């Protein structure tokens, strides 16, 4: 029925509008300021709509994280598919960080994580964040050659890298002007080049690949 | 005057009691649940005392972070002074993580960081966190020998390690049972041993130190 379809579409547009208002509020007011009242004011709607569509403010924020994360993971999955070296991977991390400085998307995630009051609220956030860890793990698999892959377990390395990224976003947001993220990415780019230079000489599978690096 | 001293002591005891109640509330209720009312209930005092002594709940939480952080930095500075290898450093990080699982102290910090609504609130937290970065940097200086120190800038490495630690605490708290922190520390311990094994062969200053590693 046309009326039913139209109502469903209207409902989904309303939900999307509420989700966008929640993200904007989180970015601009911080978690403590993200109340139903503030979200409603940002979006120009009645706060009763939040409870009607999402049950609660934490329910809404989780949905906001889901929607934001899916969109980003899809976008970065394409970029990760083209990674062929550690340097590429560092380049992607830097780009993601720069984008986040503007959009505040990951920053909103760290706030949501910090605000989760226990495993009931934590688990669904973790389920979603797991997609990011998997994405890093895939990219790492493409970036890291045989010998290094044999000594560094990919899942743990991906978890550590994703954790570091979260920590950097958390620190950057405290005072963007004092952020040392740029210098950290520069260091990682140098280290990536160094590892790429030394790895051939450590090769177990293919002793012919690359001449031993001379210090 | 005795009466004056006694009142001052009483004031400082009251402040300490409020700080402890705030930390306990943050650990048990999460940031969103850490209201003046909840803190007062935890500590068994009137919530007006919070405003009298600290001006506001964020003011109290910042003071709580200061007090907690100073005590911890002092304790870990002693441990960091005995670091003589990367393996030692990983061991300290693991110990700090294990302690935090019980005390929730760093977890409280990540919540405070995530909740800061802008640079005004962010800067004093960052000032205090800087002590942790410096501590890691000192330990790293003791742990890392000549050749590696020449390619890896200590400040940036310390910032990256401290950020990773924050991220791990943030992820662990979401669901302690699903935490992969243990596996990450195992990986870092293996990598530390590997670097310790390969570093002598990379040495620039002292070509005689250690025989080249044979792959």
């Amino acid at each position: 029925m046309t009326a039913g379809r139209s109502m469903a579409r209207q409902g989904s547009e309303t939900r999307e509008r509420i989700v966008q208002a929640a993200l904007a509020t989180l970015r601009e007011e911080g978690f403590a300021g993200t109340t139903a009242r503030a979200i409603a004011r940002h979006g120009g709607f009645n706060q009763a709509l939040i409870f009607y569509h999402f049950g609660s403010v934490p329910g809404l924020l989780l949905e906001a994280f889901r929607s934001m994360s899916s969109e980003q993971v899809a976008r970065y999955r394409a970029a990760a598919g083209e990674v062929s070296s550690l340097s590429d991977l560092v380049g992607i991390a830097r780009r993601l960080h720069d984008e986040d400085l503007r959009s505040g998307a990951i920053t909103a995630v760290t706030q949501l994580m910090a605000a989760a009051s226990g495993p009931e609220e934590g688990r669904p956030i973790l389920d979603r964040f797991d997609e990011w860890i998997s994405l890093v793990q895939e990219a790492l698999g493409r970036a890291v050659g045989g010998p290094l892959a044999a000594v560094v377990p990919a899942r743990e390395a991906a978890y550590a890298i994703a954790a570091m990224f979260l920590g950097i976003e958390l620190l950057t947001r405290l005072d963007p002007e004092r952020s040392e993220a740029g210098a950290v990415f520069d260091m990682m780019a140098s280290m990536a080049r160094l590892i790429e230079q030394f790895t051939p000489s450590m090769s177990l599978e293919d002793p012919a690949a690359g001449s031993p690096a001379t210090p």
Side-chain angles (χ1 to χ4, degrees), chain A residues 194-204 206-215:
Chain A
L194 195 75
I195 292 171
E196 281 152 13
Q197 181 189 336
F198 272 91
T199 304
S201 72
M202 288 164 60
S203 178
L204 298 169
D206 183 7
S211 57
T214 41

Side-chain angles (χ1 to χ4, degrees), chain A residues 127-146:
Chain A
D127 286 339
R128 198 45 58 148
F129 191 70
D130 221 41
E131 293 184 358
W132 282 100
I133 301 176
S134 300
L135 188 63
V136 175
Q137 187 174 346
E138 285 167 35
L140 213 51
R142 297 180 60 87
V144 174

Side-chain angles (χ1 to χ4, degrees), chain A residues 12-175:
Chain A
S12 119
E13 274 168 14
T14 305
R15 287 175 65 94
E16 179 56 25
R17 192 170 148 208
I18 298 171
V19 162
Q20 291 306 326
L23 288 174
T25 312
L26 207 50
R27 278 196 296 271
E28 288 165 34
E29 318 274 343
F31 186 83
T34 303
T35 58
R37 185 192 298 258
I39 297 168
R41 198 177 49 232
H42 262 264
F45 48 73
N46 189 301
Q47 57 175 299
L49 280 177
I50 294 172
F51 301 98
Y52 176 75
H53 283 282
F54 299 95
S56 66
V57 171
L60 162 59
L61 293 180
L62 180 60
E63 185 53 38
F65 173 39
R66 274 209 189 102
S67 120
M68 183 175 67
S69 185
S70 295
E71 186 261 330
Q72 280 194 312
V73 165
R75 203 146 43 86
Y76 278 91
R77 191 167 295 280
E82 288 167 22
V83 162
S84 67
S85 68
L86 278 178
S87 296
D88 286 354
L89 192 56
V90 174
I92 287 188
R94 193 195 293 265
R95 201 180 93 198
L96 188 57
H97 172 78
D98 289 345
E99 277 185 20
D100 196 54
L101 273 188
R102 287 188 294 274
S103 76
I106 302 163
T107 302
V109 173
T110 60
Q111 299 210 287
L112 207 55
M113 286 182 169
S117 66
E120 296 72 31
E121 277 176 50
R123 262 178 227 125
I125 302 176
L126 214 46
D127 286 339
R128 198 45 58 148
F129 191 70
D130 221 41
E131 293 184 358
W132 282 100
I133 301 176
S134 300
L135 188 63
V136 175
Q137 187 174 346
E138 285 167 35
L140 213 51
R142 297 180 60 87
V144 174
L148 209 58
V151 280
V152 180
R155 169 73 191 183
E156 284 84 339
Y159 190 93
I161 290 172
M164 185 181 65
F165 198 87
L166 281 182
I168 288 177
E169 299 314 298
L170 202 54
L171 290 173
T172 295
R173 193 181 157 278
L174 287 178
D175 186 0

